[in-house]
Amino acid sequence: MRNLLHTHFSLIVCCVAPAASAACIGERGPFINRMAHSGTTYLARAASQPVRWQPWGRDAFALAAKLDRPVLLYIGSDTCRWCAETDRAIYTDPEIGALINGLFVPVRVDRDERPDVAQRYQAAVERMAGLRGWPLTVFLTADGAPFFGGTYFPADDPITGRGLKQLLPEVAKRYHDQRSFIMEQAAMLRHMALTDAGTRESRGVLRPPLVQQGIAAAARELDEAVRTRTAAGSVMHAAAVSLLLTESARGLDTTLLASARRALDLMLDTTVGNVGEDPPRLVRAALAASLAQAWAVTGEQRYRDAGRSLVRALTAELPPGGSVFVDQEAYVIEHVMLAAATIGEPAVASQARAGLDALLQRAYARGWGVRHAVAGMPAAGVTTPQGLLQDQVQVASACLAAHRLSGDPRYLDVALDLAALVERNYADPLGGYYDVAAPPTDPLPASQAALGDRTKHVFDDVLPGANAAAALLLTQLAQVTGDPSHRRRAQATLEAFAGSMDGAGVRAATFLAAAREILGKP
């Protein structure tokens, strides 16, 4: 796919003057930058850019269909350094703005506000170009299907032709001149997206050798990330450290312990800085939990001291109000609670539990679940969109941790309520769970069906993979309640994705942690 797309695009020579094209299209339907009233500061800051950004949704794609243009989808984040560089060097450029406005309908998405959209198109770029990372620049048909894309594109690269000033007219011309090929490639990618997770092609039996091979692969990839000094700013690398620490403690494996300690030492090296693109609070929370675990496994005081400093700082940053993304906030709270309890900081653990109480009051309604973003008001059920799978799972996991630490039954009640909701509204009869509830929270007409595709994610990224995290939650619920049905659902979830394990590396850390809980010691 990658070579085929590259070959076709490299042969295109644009013969249309961009200014003339922009004027012609402008006469058919002018549009304006609509970021000023966005729900996040990241999007709102783009209101002054010369690009006529549209918010994600049916209106933008209807406009693309009306103007007969492809969509330029850009996905970034406040915490992504290359996203900031892209805004500074590219989207403030009037020439690039004129090209985009004249040839495309540009749509801008905040990765943290719409992680479901971000994950869907990140997977598409990985299939098309073998690339991962942020920001994403993806070209879509008017029904939301991707046909070309990548991560960071420079403004100008006349030698290779891969700069935006070269690519933009090429992609637009290709969209109009080779429409049948574009639609064929888009349909192929969409089919791959809908069939590569939770279906027969990726099913497998959960056996100890599969898990052992996965752990060894994760350790090798973590070692390489340490060697290249790229393991300091990522939740998935911290999760891999936790996996290796757990596994080393199970079997006294000194090789795995050495790999985990090398990674932790790199993460504690302040000269490395944040080399990843994940939100720093998430990385620090994941690191705090890994440090607490490392202290429990090794007894080294430096891990306890570093973990204590982190949990105290993170607790001080827990917002009593203001806007938060529920999945991220629950993740931070859970990891602070667990780390604080492990290293002997009961006051910090209590503060984190109070933060969880405040989050539940603002985001949770019994029988309805949690929403994704809150801005200070209590959950209003039917008047606000229901959250994503990862919102339900992260909050349930935090509540279960609070119950195990405090013994308070009300936290277990919430965790069980959310687990039942996930089974009721997100489950796929073929296995695993979809990223959004059924029916989709933003249903679209058949002509824009790709926008409403429900997908399933199992491997770790900015947060633990939602299906893997759901399986881990279910195994822990089985341990706490003694109800074996939770364990059966957890195993069925993992087996829906077991055939996709090969090549996952550190991204499979949560999957492997859940699998080890189910299978026990080999």
Side-chain angles (χ1 to χ4, degrees), residues 66-99:
K66 177 183 178 182
L67 299 180
D68 192 26
R69 297 183 182 185
V71 169
L72 185 158
L73 173 64
Y74 177 77
I75 306 176
S77 166
D78 255 334
T79 58
C80 157
R81 73 188 192 284
W82 280 108
C83 301
E85 173 63 18
T86 300
D87 280 334
R88 184 195 66 78
I90 294 175
Y91 291 128
T92 57
D93 185 328
E95 182 181 349
I96 290 180
L99 274 173

Side-chain angles (χ1 to χ4, degrees), residues 327-470:
D327 52 352
Q328 296 188 12
E329 200 63 23
Y331 181 87
V332 171
I333 288 170
E334 177 187 359
H335 284 71
V336 168
M337 279 193 299
L338 293 173
T342 302
I343 61 180
E345 287 282 336
V348 172
S350 295
Q351 286 178 278
R353 197 159 61 248
L356 177 59
D357 292 338
L359 184 66
L360 291 174
Q361 184 178 13
R362 299 168 65 200
Y364 168 73
R366 185 170 186 81
W368 178 84
V370 296
R371 48 185 172 166
H372 176 62
V374 292
M377 69 290 286
V382 297
T383 65
T384 56
Q386 192 174 54
L388 306 170
L389 171 64
Q390 66 188 44
D391 294 305
Q392 318 303 331
V393 171
Q394 291 297 334
V395 171
S397 184
C399 286
L400 186 58
H403 169 71
R404 297 176 90 168
L405 293 174
S406 69
D408 191 330
R410 63 192 174 97
Y411 294 118
L412 179 59
D413 289 343
V414 175
L416 289 170
D417 179 53
L418 291 174
L421 173 82
V422 165
E423 199 64 32
R424 189 166 64 245
N425 290 2
Y426 297 80
D428 178 3
L430 295 177
Y433 301 95
Y434 288 110
D435 57 348
V436 295
T441 56
D442 185 23
L444 295 164
S447 61
Q448 297 173 15
L451 289 179
D453 286 342
R454 301 167 75 208
T455 55
K456 292 177 281 187
H457 301 278
V458 68
F459 296 129
D460 298 349
D461 195 347
V462 174
L463 283 170
N467 272 271

Side-chain angles (χ1 to χ4, degrees), residues 29 38 54 80 151 178 188 193 197 247 263 300 336 341 352 380 382-383 387 400 415 418 451 474:
S38 300
Q54 306 296 298
C80 157
T151 52
Q178 302 288 336
M188 184 185 305
E247 196 64 13
E300 283 200 32
V336 168
V382 297
T383 65
L400 186 58
L418 291 174
L451 289 179
L474 290 167

Side-chain angles (χ1 to χ4, degrees), residues 244 247-249 251-262 297:
L244 299 190
E247 196 64 13
S248 68
L252 301 178
D253 190 320
T254 56
T255 302
L256 295 181
L257 179 59
S259 293
R261 293 177 67 169
R262 284 193 296 269
V297 171

Side-chain angles (χ1 to χ4, degrees), residues 189-212:
L189 281 166
R190 184 183 177 206
H191 176 73
M192 291 168 63
L194 294 175
T195 60
D196 70 354
T199 59
R200 293 180 181 177
E201 288 83 359
S202 64
R203 295 192 69 84
V205 178
L206 201 63
R207 299 184 186 278
L210 174 73
V211 179
Q212 291 168 342

